[in-house]
Amino acid sequence: MACTVPAIAGPDVVVFDIYNLANWGSSSGTVAYTIGTESCNFGDTDLNWIAGTPDVPVIGQNMYRIKDGRMEQLGQSWLKWAFASLNQDECGNCDDPGTGSLLGPNCSDPYSAGLNGSQSGLGPKSVVNPHTGFHPGSHATPSGPSTIAGRIQVDSNDMDPGQNAGAIYLVEGQYVTPDDAASGNQNNNASYREVFVDGSLDISFNGGSGTSSTVVGKPAIEGWQSYDPSVGVEPFDVPGDGRGYIGWTATRTGVPVTADVDGDGDVTLSDLAVVLANFGLTGTAVLADGDVTGDGNVDLSDLADVLAQFGQGSSWRYEFALHNLNVHRSFVAFELTVPDSSVITDDYFKGVPYHSGEPYANPNWRYLPSPTTALWIGTAYSSDQNAGVCRWGNLYNFGFTAPFGPDQLGDIKLSLFMPGGDDTLIVPLPERNANDNCAKAAPITNGSYTVSTLEATTDGPSEASCSFAGNDDITNDVWYRYTAPCDATVLVDVCDADFDSRIAVYGTNCPAGPGTVLACDDDGCGSGSSTSFVATSGSEYLIRVGGRDGAFGSATLNVVCDILGASNDNCVNAYVTGEGVLTYDSTGANTDGPLETGCGSPARADIWFSYTPTCDGTATVSLCGSAYDTMLLIYDGGAGCPVSTGTYLACNDDFCGLDSQVSFSATNGTEYLIRVAGYNGSDGEGVIDISMACD
């Protein structure tokens, strides 16, 4: 891993890579982990790395989980006291100072998960001032069971895949050191990376969406927003001290997630009647006009208004996270302005515990609402200087359910724990759903991301070229800016959408009008959507997820580069696609179709695609531009994968040079299997272009 590092004034140590992991085992239901951290000096000045003195970095490690709309800190470690730097070249051209007591500009230094878990080198967080970077040169060592002492300690139930379906896990490393802090560079010292958990509770960087990568210079709480752009996350600074973060999200409950309640494909007055019937209500008067809100549409907001008129209004679940990056004074209270605290239910609090001999009490904050505030508060400094409060490297959670909406919430007031300045700090709520606007598209790469369009508006154009059923609109849309890590076909889907979704892909610029769409889909996987496009490595593409006829809800956006060939080598695994261009690579493909000879040499080395047109007409499949001698055959997918020769509907060997192309009469809703093969067993990289001329 290497990059060109911009010059920053003074020394600036950053976690440049989280590069290996360790599971040390468990004790009494607690599992111990550590992570390997590669640091870099992004500054223009040597960084002190003097072993056995206060002028050496200490390294913290944390584990987080994102699950069911909430981000929680599962565990934290003691600190690794560094001892020598290697001054390697992983982050640029190292300006080697010639000594292990300094880390030169653009120089890197690795501390493996083994070193970061070596208990003789671990010291307590309680002796460190994270804002100034001060700590003693020597330290105590952790106590407790030898398997877990001082390491990231996590309850095994929180890691068990069987109990945490859909959970996302993040690990985080953070360096703290005096000369970095003295230069004002201490706010970029934390980085995070996604990890995946197996049945043995081991963690790795490889999962269903590929290999994760380190997000450099950002704490893990920013990952909450990356995986779910409906979340609002913003930093704030405490005057004369360090930095914290507020993250939050709101999820509507109590009403259907799709406006088409009766499932007839349309949103009409009948849907409102069904909702009332489900609540045992009758409402002839209120049903006189289905557009209760008067916005010109009959949609989910109308259902909510109908319920409200019968005293059955919808509720909201709120989740908040307070992260203390490096505030030495710490936080002892979290207070949110609300319209009416008496209607709040299911209040929630969680703080991460200390362990292994740290002097701090476990967090146990009380919920003490006033008429217009929701307040969680810990033990005051004057009562216990070692109280369980939100100290540096900690993330605390607060939550509740209420019938009022997000626009009725006010600011947050935080109370500082230690004396030393103003006792309170007012922090505005961060903006949520920023990616409702194309100009603020959420940055993503390969992976899976939570999508919520429940509060989205529509700011993209209609797309007639997509030939959607019914109309050309993509309503209630949210946006993602995808940076391609490959030269290949990118597969995009929201197949698990709980609403009637539509999806579109554009180039790097927000569309000013219709006609610039690169790929799009309506019902490629049931009421969910899937599409693909050919990407250039390093280029940016805008992905738009919305609904049909005002439908909105939740989904998982899956985006992955895929050089097709290996995954669709067998007919039963035919890649489902629509009109458009895909790249593929059939190198090494097996032959599992019959050896058709009607088009010349027997078809071998085949890969498979499944195509279902959305109209009657003439379909054309072209392999023109491929880099080897191709063959092309079309079969009726309704008959299943072919087992005998002569059942193809169309075939071709050489249409454009040695490449193939066929056209055939296609019927709306009928599946066709496309077999891409090689003449006499040829294989290689190719391009397939599917188009449809509707009658």
Side-chain angles (χ1 to χ4, degrees):
M1 183 175 184
C3 71
T4 301
V5 180
I8 295 174
D12 182 21
V13 65
V14 176
V15 179
F16 183 65
D17 194 20
I18 298 172
Y19 69 95
N20 71 350
L21 305 163
N23 176 348
W24 295 87
S26 64
S27 176
S28 301
T30 297
V31 189
Y33 300 97
T34 54
I35 64 176
T37 53
E38 179 106 40
S39 62
C40 281
N41 181 1
F42 281 9
D44 60 7
T45 307
D46 291 337
L47 179 89
N48 287 329
W49 206 286
I50 307 171
T53 77
D55 292 314
V56 69
V58 293
I59 307 166
Q61 306 163 72
N62 299 302
M63 174 82 76
Y64 302 88
R65 179 185 64 192
I66 302 170
K67 177 187 175 186
D68 297 333
R70 176 186 296 156
M71 180 176 183
E72 296 178 304
Q73 186 174 7
L74 300 182
Q76 61 181 327
S77 74
W78 277 38
L79 304 177
K80 173 65 179 179
W81 254 251
F83 55 86
S85 66
L86 297 182
N87 289 293
Q88 297 178 338
D89 290 314
E90 289 302 313
C91 54
N93 295 319
C94 172
D95 186 0
D96 190 345
T99 172
S101 295
L102 296 170
L103 184 67
N106 285 349
C107 297
S108 63
D109 181 75
Y111 273 68
S112 68
L115 277 179
N116 285 343
S118 177
Q119 289 155 330
S120 62
L122 298 179
K125 298 177 76 171
S126 53
V127 299
V128 176
N129 182 322
H131 176 59
T132 65
F134 175 79
H135 56 79
S138 60
H139 58 84
T141 54
S143 60
S146 60
T147 303
I148 63 174
R151 296 160 179 159
I152 305 174
Q153 295 190 6
V154 185
D155 187 319
S156 61
N157 292 318
D158 288 333
M159 302 297 293
D160 180 7
Q163 301 181 56
N164 295 280
I168 296 170
Y169 293 88
L170 306 177
V171 292
E172 177 187 70
Q174 181 177 2
Y175 281 55
V176 175
T177 198
D179 52 345
D180 171 278
S183 297
N185 293 328
Q186 67 270 63
N187 291 333
N188 66 349
N189 294 6
S191 301
Y192 71 90
R193 186 170 182 176
E194 183 178 1
V195 295
F196 304 89
V197 187
D198 66 18
S200 300
L201 307 191
D202 288 329
I203 55 177
S204 72
F205 300 129
N206 300 307
S209 58
T211 302
S212 66
S213 58
T214 301
V215 180
V216 178
K218 297 180 182 294
I221 190 171
E222 295 202 32
W224 190 17
Q225 186 179 58
S226 294
Y227 288 96
D228 182 358
S230 69
V231 172
V233 175
E234 290 288 347
F236 62 89
D237 293 323
V238 176
D241 205 327
R243 174 165 292 183
Y245 283 79
I246 294 290
W248 74 294
T249 189
T251 305
R252 182 155 53 182
T253 62
V255 296
V257 296
T258 175
D260 182 18
V261 181
D262 59 13
D264 65 355
D266 296 303
V267 182
T268 63
L269 207 60
S270 63
D271 297 298
L272 301 181
V274 171
V275 171
L276 293 176
N278 288 341
F279 281 86
L281 303 169
T282 57
T284 304
V286 80
L287 291 179
D289 180 3
D291 180 18
V292 181
T293 61
D295 64 356
N297 297 308
V298 181
D299 57 25
L300 196 56
S301 60
D302 298 301
L303 304 186
D305 268 28
V306 169
L307 292 178
Q309 292 186 42
F310 286 87
Q312 300 286 345
S314 63
S315 295
W316 292 84
R317 180 65 196 178
Y318 294 98
E319 298 290 347
F320 299 88
L322 169 63
H323 175 58
N324 182 345
L325 179 67
N326 52 26
V327 178
H328 182 56
R329 293 179 62 196
S330 309
F331 302 103
V332 69
F334 179 98
E335 187 173 14
L336 174 71
T337 302
V338 298
D340 181 5
S341 67
S342 68
V343 296
I344 286 176
T345 59
D346 301 321
D347 58 276
Y348 178 83
F349 166 78
K350 181 183 178 181
V352 62
Y354 282 82
H355 57 79
S356 305
E358 287 274 21
Y360 300 138
N362 285 334
N364 185 23
W365 290 21
R366 296 163 292 159
Y367 176 61
L368 297 175
S370 72
T372 58
T373 64
L375 168 66
W376 289 264
I377 188 167
T379 303
Y381 182 84
S382 58
S383 298
D384 182 2
Q385 295 183 17
N386 291 324
V389 297
C390 188
R391 301 177 187 271
W392 77 275
N394 289 174
L395 184 146
Y396 276 26
N397 294 100
F398 315 91
F400 59 86
T401 300
F404 45 77
D407 58 342
Q408 296 178 273
L409 301 181
D411 293 337
I412 293 170
K413 182 168 75 172
L414 300 174
S415 296
L416 280 301
F417 176 62
M418 298 181 191
D422 291 340
D423 293 332
T424 60
L425 180 71
I426 302 300
V427 181
L429 279 176
E431 180 184 10
R432 293 173 54 250
N433 299 301
N435 68 327
D436 184 22
N437 188 308
C438 178
K440 296 183 178 181
I444 61 172
T445 184
N446 286 349
S448 298
Y449 302 88
T450 300
V451 174
S452 175
T453 64
L454 289 172
E455 300 172 76
T457 59
T458 303
D459 76 330
S462 300
E463 294 293 357
S465 63
C466 292
S467 300
F468 293 142
N471 58 50
D472 304 326
D473 298 333
I474 306 174
T475 57
N476 307 96
D477 49 20
V478 293
W479 297 80
Y480 300 83
R481 184 172 293 277
Y482 171 75
T483 302
C486 61
D487 290 314
T489 298
V490 176
L491 315 179
V492 184
D493 79 75
V494 285
C495 286
D496 69 345
D498 59 15
F499 63 104
D500 192 351
S501 65
R502 286 175 172 175
I503 196 166
V505 180
Y506 301 85
T508 189
N509 296 320
C510 291
T516 61
V517 65
L518 302 178
C520 49
D521 182 62
D522 185 358
D523 297 326
C525 40
S527 62
S529 309
S530 65
T531 191
S532 60
F533 63 98
V534 178
T536 301
S537 181
S539 295
E540 293 184 345
Y541 301 88
L542 289 162
I543 299 174
R544 177 187 181 191
V545 180
R548 172 186 175 180
D549 295 329
F552 50 91
S554 301
T556 302
L557 172 65
N558 300 300
V559 188
V560 62
C561 274
D562 186 29
I563 300 177
L564 291 167
S567 61
N568 58 331
D569 188 12
N570 295 320
C571 177
V572 294
N573 296 322
Y575 174 68
V576 179
T577 185
E579 291 88 14
V581 180
L582 298 170
T583 58
Y584 67 86
D585 189 346
S586 67
T587 302
N590 297 309
T591 303
D592 76 329
L595 296 178
E596 307 283 10
T597 58
C599 291
S601 174
R604 293 187 171 92
D606 50 21
I607 60 174
W608 297 79
F609 298 84
S610 170
Y611 166 65
T612 303
T614 56
C615 64
D616 295 335
T618 301
T620 299
V621 181
S622 175
L623 304 181
C624 296
S626 297
Y628 68 105
D629 193 349
T630 65
M631 296 183 67
L632 182 60
L633 303 98
I634 310 297
Y635 298 86
D636 179 0
C641 291
V643 294
S644 58
T645 60
T647 61
Y648 54 82
L649 304 177
C651 70
N652 178 256
D653 180 7
D654 298 331
F655 179 88
C656 38
L658 297 177
D659 297 331
S660 315
Q661 178 174 308
V662 298
S663 295
F664 60 97
S665 179
T667 303
N668 179 21
T670 298
E671 180 193 16
Y672 297 93
L673 290 170
I674 302 171
R675 182 184 181 190
V676 175
Y679 179 86
N680 200 28
S682 295
D683 57 18
E685 296 180 355
V687 57
I688 179 172
D689 184 355
I690 303 173
S691 59
M692 183 71 183
C694 297
D695 291 341

